[in-house]
């Protein structure tokens, strides 16, 4: 059994004058049929090609189609509520970020743009990888649905397709559709990673739960699971590429890689793990050439996706992860690498001696390396990758494949009657699990009245009373705030991609500091970031995370603007509603002060903001790439914009170029050559890196498509093989 493929082959002289279709047992075929040569003078030879399409029946092909239909039906039956519901009330996750992107991004997808609604401002590329929010926006527009409903539908599609692509990989690699179906069914209905990595130790009861649906519908694993949907296709097409060396497979591998990484950065790590396993189960004699081909496909794929994952963003992700002890690289990380590498090498040697089945060796090696990442983190406190526990989906996929195909020789050795009994028992257990999973899905995914939730009520109050003014909202309110409001906020995005570390320092101070003295410092941070209101959630609030260490610390310090259900909104006094402020150059925070601004620098900056002698500055957005500022600037003064610095920002003051730099808070500082009235035009183009990434992506796409078209154009005839034996 092989995968479906479109192969172009040259006609041989014999085939040119053949009138009989060329048979391919168990496959579909397209055979060229030409008229015989002319027999009388002057008679045209007639070189035109006639195509006869035939289809040979194949038990395994139709069995595989049936298995795919059953897998799709089972998963669609369990997760069907995802296609019908708009709001589930699961506000504990960052699903709100992807829905917000789908709702507000508009033209941001196509060229560098500034994202002003989250984390005090950032490049749009720093929000999240584009596949899931982009698909949500596309479905919402196509079906005329709200973004929340479109997001749940996208989640449903991801849930249904994951086992199907796993089946296709196993089917092609093993030529065993029945066992491939079993592996995909095990992946659909069991949760070995959840059972092994339970909070209180191994819990076999959790093996029969539907962890995949739970993490997508309740938490925030839809992008991660979307990446795993395409991972089996990456392995399949890369395997074909390395075995057959044909451009059509190179293209399939590249497209699959792009889709995998565009769904989640976890997908890039999963590709790397699978590539290592694949390279070492194929013939060692071709290792060097296989590495070169894989590297070339990987490089071209990265160039295509690089606008959303440029090198500077990779550096930002790494730097932000190192800020948290649980994700930092340490000597323990080196120990973890050695443990995994030594164990993998021993297992590779044993498997090579024990079996020549490359598919089985790959499944076991991948299951080992994918399992060891979270196992070492949970049971030994060792990791060499950030968020090591998050690799449970890879672990589940690998274990499903390894378990079924390790059991295959045992099942094959059973008598026919024992095989039949085993099949009936397992299918009965699967049917029981399907019924239980459907019942659990109804309890997990159900519609709610979102207007009753605190996240909605806070957003609507702010929209009504403080439209357009930056606010700070915590926890689940921050994650869903911009689903219901266009008002910018101090948080709301994924911390791992935030470009301004001082924004994280401000949030941590506001949330974790205690007592009136620390509260006064928190107010300084809020004023420095142009925040006009701060929301505090008490222990009795319905906000999910309740992140405040001291929810009462602002009492008596800031005026109360709104209070309901143990949630309070305090007003933060600001001299101006604008995020553009004129300050003395001496008050600019020292850019060499490090990732967290010293307190004396913070006080100096806020004092300048509060100085009534400084001129006012009006600031207006013109789309997502331009800002217009009107103010008065004199010698020794600068304009501070309370948004994150990026090299893609440029300024003109009264028609002349003005210098733009970064200060110690990570903000934009404009030094216009003005003495009096000053009209400043700020433009954002992403900088040379983002423009170069888009240019290389476009050239790579054009080059690949042109090469593919030329290859097809040079073929005089085509045959379609459906190889399913």
């Amino acid at each position: 059994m092989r995968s479906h493929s479109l192969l172009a082959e040259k006609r041989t002289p014999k085939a040119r004058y053949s009138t009989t279709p060329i048979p391919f047992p168990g496959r579909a075929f397209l055979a060229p049929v030409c008229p015989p040569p002319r027999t009388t003078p002057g008679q045209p030879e007639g070189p035109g090609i006639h195509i006869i399409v035939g289809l040979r029946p194949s038990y395994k092909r139709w069995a595989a189609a049936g298995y795919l239909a059953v897998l799709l039906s089972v998963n669609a039956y369990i997760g069907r509520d995802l296609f019908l519901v708009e709001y589930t009330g699961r506000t504990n996750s960052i699903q709100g970020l992807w829905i917000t992107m789908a709702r507000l991004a508009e033209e941001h997808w196509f060229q560098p743009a500034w994202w002003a609604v989250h984390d005090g401002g950032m490049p749009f590329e720093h929000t999240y990888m584009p596949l899931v929010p982009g698909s949500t926006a596309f479905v919402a527009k196509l079906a005329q649905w709200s973004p929340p409903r479109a997001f749940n539908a996208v989640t449903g599609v991801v849930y249904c397709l994951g086992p199907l692509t796993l089946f296709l990989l196993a089917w092609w690699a093993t030529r065993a559709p029945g066992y491939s179906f079993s592996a995909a069914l095990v992946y659909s209905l069991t949760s070995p990673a959840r059972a092994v990595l339970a909070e209180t130790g191994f819990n076999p009861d959790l093996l029969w739960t539907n962890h995949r649906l739970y993490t997508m519908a309740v938490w925030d694993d839809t992008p991660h699971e979307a990446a795993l949907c395409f991972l089996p296709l990456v392995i399949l097409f890369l395997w074909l590429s390395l075995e057959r060396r044909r451009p059509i497979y190179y293209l399939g591998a590249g497209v699959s890689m792009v889709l995998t990484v565009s769904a989640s950065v976890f997908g890039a790590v999963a590709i790397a793990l699978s590539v290592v396993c694949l390279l070492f189960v194929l013939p060692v004699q071709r290792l060097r050439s296989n590495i070169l081909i894989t590297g070339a496909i990987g490089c071209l794929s990265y160039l295509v996706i690089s606008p959303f994952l440029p090198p500077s963003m990779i550096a930002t992700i790494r730097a932000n992860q190192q800020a948290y002890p649980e994700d930092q690289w340490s000597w323990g990380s080196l120990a973890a690498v050695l443990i995994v590498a030594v164990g993998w090498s021993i297992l590779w040697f044993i498997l090579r001696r024990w079996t020549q089945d490359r598919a089985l060796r790959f499944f076991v090696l991948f299951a080992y390396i994918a399992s060891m990442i979270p196992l070492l983190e949970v049971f030994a406190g060792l990791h060499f990758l950030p968020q090591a526990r998050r690799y449970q989906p890879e672990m589940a996929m690998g274990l499903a494949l390894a378990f079924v195909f390790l059991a295959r020789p045992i099942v094959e050795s059973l008598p026919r009657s024992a095989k039949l009994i085993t099949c009936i028992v397992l299918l009965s257990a699967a049917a029981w699990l399907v019924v239980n999973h459907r019942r659990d899905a109804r309890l997990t995914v159900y519609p709610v009245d979102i207007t009753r939730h605190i996240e909605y009520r806070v957003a609507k109050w702010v929209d009504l009373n403080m439209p357009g003014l930056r606010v700070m909202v915590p926890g689940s309110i921050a994650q869903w705030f911009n689903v219901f409001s266009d008002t910018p906020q101090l948080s709301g995005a994924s911390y791992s991609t935030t470009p301004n570390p001082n924004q994280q320092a401000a949030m941590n101070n506001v949330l974790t500091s205690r007592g009136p003295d620390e509260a006064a410092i928190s107010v300084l941070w809020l004023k420095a970031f142009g925040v006009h209101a701060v929301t505090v959630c008490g222990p009795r609030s319905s906000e999910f995370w309740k992140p405040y260490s001291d929810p009462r610390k602002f009492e008596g310090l800031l005026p109360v603007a709104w209070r309901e259900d143990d949630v309070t909104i305090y007003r933060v006094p600001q001299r101006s509603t604008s995020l553009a402020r004129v300050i003395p150059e001496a008050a600019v925070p020292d850019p060499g002060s490090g990732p967290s601004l010293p307190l004396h620098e913070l006080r100096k900056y806020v004092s300048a903001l509060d100085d009534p002698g400084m001129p006012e500055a009006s600031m207006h957005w013109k789309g997502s790439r331009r800002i217009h500022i009107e103010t008065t600037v004199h010698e020794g003064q600068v304009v501070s914009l309370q948004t994150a610095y990026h090299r893609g920002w440029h300024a003109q003051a009264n028609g002349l170029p003005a210098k733009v730099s970064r200060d110690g808070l990570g903000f934009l500082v404009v030094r216009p050559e003005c003495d009096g009235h000053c009209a400043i035009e700020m433009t954002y183009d992403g900088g040379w890196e983002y423009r170069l990434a888009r240019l290389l992506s476009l050239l790579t796409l054009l080059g690949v498509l042109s090469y593919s078209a030329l290859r097809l154009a040079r073929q005089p005839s085509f045959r379609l093989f459906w190889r399913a034996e």
Side-chain angles (χ1 to χ4, degrees):
M1 181 276 304
R2 301 280 182 178
S3 67
H4 313 285
S5 58
L6 180 62
L7 307 178
E9 294 190 355
K10 295 182 178 179
R11 292 175 297 169
T12 62
K14 181 178 180 180
R16 181 179 180 184
Y17 299 106
S18 171
T19 59
T20 305
I22 303 172
F24 298 95
R27 308 166 187 163
F29 60 85
L30 294 179
V33 179
C34 299
R38 62 190 179 204
T39 56
T40 59
Q43 180 181 356
E45 187 171 335
I49 297 176
H50 306 277
I51 303 297
I52 295 179
V53 181
L55 184 67
R56 301 282 183 172
S58 168
Y59 162 74
K60 289 187 177 181
R61 183 183 72 237
W62 291 113
Y67 288 137
L68 282 171
V70 171
L71 286 171
L72 180 60
S73 300
V74 165
N75 286 277
Y77 171 70
I78 294 172
R80 66 185 183 186
D81 294 324
L82 288 167
F83 296 96
L84 306 173
V85 70
E86 184 173 25
Y87 290 102
T88 64
R90 306 295 183 176
T91 56
N92 50 281
S93 75
I94 63 170
Q95 295 173 0
L97 168 61
W98 308 317
I99 297 172
T100 298
M101 293 172 66
R103 188 176 79 87
L104 298 177
E106 298 178 352
E107 79 279 5
H108 290 67
W109 308 103
F110 308 109
Q111 53 184 314
W114 194 252
W115 187 251
V117 295
H118 287 151
D119 287 10
M122 62 172 65
F124 177 70
E125 292 78 5
H126 282 248
T127 49
Y128 212 86
M129 296 305 291
L131 183 63
V132 168
S135 300
T136 300
F138 177 77
V139 171
K141 191 172 185 64
L142 184 67
Q144 294 299 300
W145 288 346
S146 68
R149 183 177 179 185
F151 170 76
N152 286 322
V154 169
T155 299
V157 171
V158 171
Y159 177 75
C160 293
L161 291 186
L164 272 63
T165 58
L166 185 70
F167 170 82
L168 291 175
L169 168 64
W171 176 35
W172 178 85
T174 64
R175 284 78 169 172
Y179 289 98
S180 302
F181 169 76
S182 300
L185 199 62
V186 168
Y187 178 62
S188 298
L189 301 178
T190 65
S191 303
R194 189 181 186 190
V196 173
L197 302 173
E199 295 291 340
T200 57
F202 177 68
N203 185 352
D205 291 340
L206 296 178
L207 179 63
W208 317 114
T209 59
N210 195 348
H211 194 226
R212 199 163 56 90
L213 177 66
Y214 185 79
T215 56
M216 282 194 280
V218 177
W219 294 100
D220 47 13
D221 246 17
T222 296
H224 192 170
E225 292 289 351
L228 288 193
C229 269
F230 298 109
L231 180 65
L233 300 182
V234 173
I235 300 168
L236 170 60
F237 282 112
L238 187 58
W239 203 328
L240 283 166
S241 299
L242 299 180
E243 280 195 346
R244 303 185 184 178
R245 308 293 174 92
R246 293 179 182 173
I248 189 68
Y249 300 132
Y250 300 159
L251 181 63
V255 170
S256 302
M257 286 184 181
V258 168
L259 291 171
T260 302
V261 180
S262 66
S264 171
V265 178
F266 286 102
V269 179
I271 290 174
L273 299 178
S274 58
V275 163
V276 170
C277 298
L278 181 59
L279 289 174
F280 283 90
V281 300
L282 295 177
V284 178
Q285 298 86 344
R286 303 179 75 175
L287 179 61
R288 184 173 179 274
S289 61
N290 286 347
I291 291 175
L292 292 175
I293 292 173
T294 304
I297 296 173
C299 288
L300 291 175
S301 302
Y302 172 72
L303 289 177
V304 172
I305 196 60
S306 63
F308 287 93
L309 193 63
S312 63
M313 184 175 164
I314 297 174
T316 297
I317 294 173
R318 183 182 181 280
N320 287 344
Q321 296 288 358
Q322 292 302 307
Y324 294 86
E326 62 270 21
D327 291 330
Q328 288 177 353
W329 179 272
S330 64
W331 287 107
S333 303
L334 181 60
V337 170
L338 292 175
I339 291 171
V340 172
V342 170
W344 188 91
S345 301
I346 293 173
L347 185 61
W348 173 80
F349 180 80
I350 293 172
L351 289 170
R352 192 179 180 191
R353 297 275 180 169
W354 176 55
T355 178
Q356 295 302 310
D357 187 341
R358 292 175 184 168
L360 178 60
R361 284 155 55 191
F362 173 81
F363 296 156
V364 174
L365 289 172
F366 180 77
Y368 168 81
I369 196 169
S371 300
M372 287 300 292
I373 294 170
L375 287 173
L376 283 174
E377 168 69 19
V378 171
F379 295 107
L382 300 176
H383 65 269
F384 60 92
L385 292 172
Q387 304 184 52
R389 286 187 69 109
R390 295 285 303 275
Y391 289 89
Q392 293 184 39
E394 287 84 353
M395 178 179 176
M397 177 179 285
L399 289 177
L401 290 168
F403 171 77
V404 169
F405 286 97
L406 281 172
R408 181 184 179 184
I410 300 173
V411 175
E412 294 284 350
S413 66
L414 295 175
R416 188 170 184 177
S417 58
K419 289 181 183 178
L420 181 61
I421 294 172
T422 302
C423 182
I424 293 173
V425 170
L426 292 178
L427 288 177
S428 300
W432 175 75
L433 284 174
V434 169
V435 172
N436 282 343
H437 287 350
R438 175 64 198 141
R439 181 197 63 209
D440 293 340
R442 286 198 300 267
L443 300 175
T444 302
V445 183
Y446 53 87
V448 299
D449 181 2
I450 198 65
T451 62
R452 296 177 177 268
H453 283 238
I454 193 64
E455 291 80 10
Y456 178 89
R457 286 185 287 148
V458 168
K460 289 304 179 183
W461 186 90
V462 170
D463 253 8
L464 182 63
N465 295 275
M466 296 182 171
L469 301 181
R470 183 181 289 167
V471 298
M472 182 201 150
V473 288
S476 62
I477 300 178
Q479 290 159 359
W480 285 79
F481 182 80
N482 291 110
V483 175
F484 316 113
S485 171
D486 295 346
T487 300
Q489 58 163 312
L490 184 57
S491 56
S494 173
Y495 77 91
S496 61
T497 57
T498 298
N500 186 0
N502 281 287
Q503 179 268 340
Q504 292 291 298
M507 288 294 301
N508 290 336
N509 181 276
V510 174
L511 295 174
T512 62
S513 62
R514 306 175 66 90
D517 293 338
E518 291 294 325
I521 297 174
S522 297
V523 172
L524 291 177
W525 280 108
L526 293 170
K527 290 171 72 70
F529 273 83
V531 173
H532 289 261
V534 56
T535 304
V536 178
C537 307
R540 297 185 305 278
S541 71
S542 58
E543 189 277 327
F544 187 88
W545 294 106
K546 302 173 181 59
Y548 278 94
S549 299
D550 183 5
R552 303 284 298 173
K553 68 181 183 180
F554 292 124
E555 283 295 317
L557 183 63
L558 295 175
V560 174
W562 181 83
R563 178 173 282 159
E564 283 185 17
D565 298 339
D566 205 21
V567 174
T568 305
I569 299 178
Y570 298 93
R571 290 188 183 274
V572 179
Q574 295 279 6
R575 189 173 64 88
S576 172
T577 59
S578 174
L579 294 176
R581 310 294 292 274
V582 179
I583 63 173
E585 186 160 9
V588 174
D590 181 9
S593 55
S596 182
L597 192 70
L599 184 57
H600 69 276
E601 290 284 330
L602 182 63
R603 292 186 191 276
K604 179 179 66 174
Y605 179 72
V606 174
S607 296
L609 297 181
D610 289 338
D611 185 355
M614 289 292 104
E616 296 279 352
S618 64
M619 172 178 161
H620 302 284
W621 281 93
K622 296 182 176 180
S624 58
R625 299 174 188 87
R626 293 183 60 200
I627 300 173
H628 179 75
I629 301 170
E630 289 280 347
T631 187
T632 300
V633 180
H634 298 289
E635 185 178 354
Q637 296 176 345
V638 298
V639 178
S640 174
L641 270 69
Q642 293 162 310
T643 192
Y645 169 81
H646 191 270
R647 64 172 64 93
W649 279 110
H650 310 282
Q652 283 193 334
N654 291 340
L656 298 175
K659 182 180 178 182
V660 179
S661 61
R662 180 189 184 277
D663 71 5
L665 273 166
F667 291 162
L668 287 164
V669 178
V670 182
R671 291 176 169 83
E673 297 294 331
C674 297
D675 190 7
H677 177 263
C678 199
I680 301 174
E681 293 288 339
M682 303 287 299
T683 57
Y684 177 78
D685 62 9
W688 67 266
E689 182 190 26
Y690 286 20
R691 296 198 306 273
L692 178 61
R694 277 172 165 75
L695 176 61
L696 291 176
S697 177
L698 178 61
L699 292 177
T700 302
L701 284 171
L702 292 176
V704 170
L705 292 175
S706 300
Y707 175 77
S708 302
L710 286 173
R711 290 280 301 190
L712 291 175
R714 290 176 180 174
Q715 305 301 322
S717 63
F718 305 97
R719 274 190 320 210
L720 176 65
F721 289 78
W722 189 343
R723 307 189 64 176
E725 69 276 1

